[in-house]
Amino acid sequence: MGWEATSFPQLMAMSKQKEPYDKLWRTAQEFNQKYEEWLNGPFGDLDAVKIESEVLDMHKSMYKLTKSLTDEKPNMVANKVKNKVEKFKTHLPILAVICNKGLYDRHWELMSEVVGFDIKPQENTSLATFLDYGLSGHLEKLEEISSAATKEYQLNKALKKMKEDWKDMCFELLEYRETGVSILASIDEIQLLLDDHIVKAQTMRGSPFIKPFEAEMHEWEEKLILMQDILDVWLKVQATWLYLEPIFSSEDILAQMPEEGRKFGLVDTTWKEIMTEAKKDHHCLAATAQKDMLKRLNDSHSLLEEIQKGLNDYLEKKRLYFPRFFFLSNDELLEILSETKDPTRVQPHLKKCFEGISKLKFTEEQEILAMISSEKEEVSFVNKIVPAKAKGMVEKWLVQVESVMLLSVRDVIEKSYKNYTQRPRAQWVIKWPGQVVICVSSIYWTAEVSESMK
């Protein structure tokens, strides 16, 4: 409202004066209520850490109040409550030992052996019962058992947490080129979690407190390591399969490499089976639990390595037959060899094989009549080349192209040389390809200079 706030100094002073008394009675009431709950309430509901924190806070408050309250009766109450809190404080070590979530039957049996009688709690056992047992004389040994139980509990809790983390972890599968086959997509998150959990599992298995569930821990560690091994080889097989699948889907390649084609067929069948199963349930634990999955993937990987070696040997033979293939990459060469029935598939790669040839001139019957440069200059071949006669061996008719290219260039130079004297130079230059013009001009220039020097 824009008004100045009203001040009540007396109220503030009275509130401040009342505060220690309020704190005294509230703390006293709270302790009396909780003392009854702690001592005689259900033992299973007690939380030692929480109780210890509350008791220490109450003791701290009461200690300050005994120093600050000057009135006799409030001071007497404060001292009385402080003494009760201090008395209960002495039970905290025993409380910490027995109110432990990690205590199982085996631990209670060990503690019973220490004290000499059965102290295993029943449903209605209270803290007061344990205090009556007089456990303080055996506290050191009991603390050792309870401490070990805590560490076992933490390890077991960590194991359950790891299993929980994998419960909803799934592989991302993507459709591959409308083939009905899925492939693994990004697994970075899975790989990070797997690496972290393998280290954790190995550390935990080395703990001296793992004994009660060592078999379960060992089984879990083996499962994680198996998943890691499967993932490693799975990605390798996938990468190679993706590279080879388009190659061996070509009938021409299969005809030229029947053994490698047979091996790829085996890998292809195994791969599709594995990916189909993984697609049914793509949770990581389920997808990697397929029968003999690691062995099948390793066998496939070995076959793929053999296929790649065979493929490299095959390409090497082609290159040795037609050395200009060394200018092409494996992928480019395979693109040519996978479509041998269509000789025009060579066209995009001619520039790399022949410095001067941009493309070849084909007839409708797929016969080659001439070569054309990047500048659109055309040189007719002296002999017609028929790729079909090579029966799918691309390198064979390309060797013919190389041979006829040399003969044709020699032929066109010879014709240009004769034509030089038969027409004006300006017309002659336009009629013949640029390189031929330079060559013939150089011949005549050299001849004429030599003649002049004589």
Side-chain angles (χ1 to χ4, degrees), residues 165-228:
D165 287 345
W166 283 102
K167 194 175 176 182
D168 298 318
M169 190 62 72
C170 298
F171 288 118
E172 186 183 348
L173 302 176
L174 298 177
E175 190 79 12
Y176 174 64
R177 295 197 320 178
E178 299 179 359
T179 57
V181 182
S182 298
I183 57 171
L184 279 177
S186 172
I187 63 160
D188 293 345
E189 187 181 348
I190 294 169
Q191 190 63 66
L192 280 171
L193 186 65
L194 190 55
D195 291 342
D196 181 43
H197 279 196
I198 286 174
V199 173
K200 272 186 186 175
Q202 289 173 339
T203 306
M204 285 165 64
R205 204 162 70 83
S207 169
F209 302 100
I210 200 70
K211 198 73 178 171
F213 38 92
E214 187 174 16
E216 185 185 358
M217 189 72 245
H218 183 66
E219 183 188 344
W220 177 248
E221 183 193 359
E222 283 189 336
K223 188 174 283 190
L224 292 178
I225 291 171
L226 177 64
M227 193 193 299
Q228 180 67 74

Side-chain angles (χ1 to χ4, degrees), residues 112-344:
S112 296
E113 287 176 18
V114 169
V115 298
F117 55 89
D118 186 12
I119 62 169
K120 184 180 175 183
Q122 303 302 317
E123 194 175 332
N124 58 351
T125 305
S126 65
L127 177 60
T129 307
F130 281 101
L131 296 179
D132 290 341
Y133 288 157
L135 302 177
S136 53
H138 308 282
L139 196 57
E140 190 176 339
K141 288 184 179 179
L142 295 178
E143 280 177 342
E144 285 180 18
I145 296 169
S146 182
S147 175
T150 301
K151 287 168 183 173
E152 288 174 16
Y153 176 75
Q154 288 169 348
L155 287 171
N156 196 16
K157 191 177 177 182
L159 175 57
K160 287 178 180 175
K161 173 72 167 59
M162 279 198 285
K163 289 183 176 181
E164 193 65 30
D165 287 345
W166 283 102
K167 194 175 176 182
D168 298 318
M169 190 62 72
C170 298
F171 288 118
E172 186 183 348
L173 302 176
L174 298 177
E175 190 79 12
Y176 174 64
R177 295 197 320 178
E178 299 179 359
T179 57
V181 182
S182 298
I183 57 171
L184 279 177
S186 172
I187 63 160
D188 293 345
E189 187 181 348
I190 294 169
Q191 190 63 66
L192 280 171
L193 186 65
L194 190 55
D195 291 342
D196 181 43
H197 279 196
I198 286 174
V199 173
K200 272 186 186 175
Q202 289 173 339
T203 306
M204 285 165 64
R205 204 162 70 83
S207 169
F209 302 100
I210 200 70
K211 198 73 178 171
F213 38 92
E214 187 174 16
E216 185 185 358
M217 189 72 245
H218 183 66
E219 183 188 344
W220 177 248
E221 183 193 359
E222 283 189 336
K223 188 174 283 190
L224 292 178
I225 291 171
L226 177 64
M227 193 193 299
Q228 180 67 74
D229 293 342
I230 285 172
L231 264 183
D232 288 344
V233 71
W234 198 350
L235 291 173
K236 288 177 187 174
V237 169
Q238 175 168 294
T240 314
W241 182 84
L242 288 172
Y243 172 66
L244 294 175
E245 194 273 337
I247 296 169
F248 284 96
S249 60
S250 161
E251 291 181 9
D252 288 347
I253 294 290
L254 288 172
Q256 296 171 67
M257 303 178 66
E259 181 59 21
E260 283 74 13
R262 183 188 67 80
K263 288 178 180 177
F264 184 77
L266 294 173
V267 173
D268 192 54
T269 302
T270 303
W271 173 256
K272 286 175 179 174
E273 286 173 357
I274 287 171
M275 294 313 296
T276 302
E277 281 300 311
K279 193 174 182 181
K280 286 178 184 175
D281 186 350
H282 53 268
H283 285 84
C284 296
L285 293 174
T288 54
Q290 298 179 41
K291 187 179 179 183
D292 297 330
M293 187 176 183
L294 182 60
K295 182 181 181 299
R296 289 155 68 203
L297 284 170
N298 276 325
D299 291 345
S300 296
H301 187 245
S302 299
L303 282 173
L304 288 171
E305 285 185 331
E306 290 174 21
I307 293 166
Q308 281 192 300
K309 185 180 182 303
L311 184 63
N312 289 334
D313 292 344
Y314 167 73
L315 295 179
E316 189 69 14
K317 286 177 186 174
K318 297 291 181 184
R319 287 183 170 118
L320 290 172
Y321 191 94
F322 183 60
R324 288 173 185 259
F325 274 157
F326 279 106
F327 294 127
L328 300 181
S329 68
N330 284 357
D331 290 347
E332 290 169 332
L333 184 50
L334 284 165
E335 187 183 334
I336 294 170
L337 298 174
S338 63
E339 290 289 344
T340 55
K341 291 174 185 173
D342 183 8
T344 58

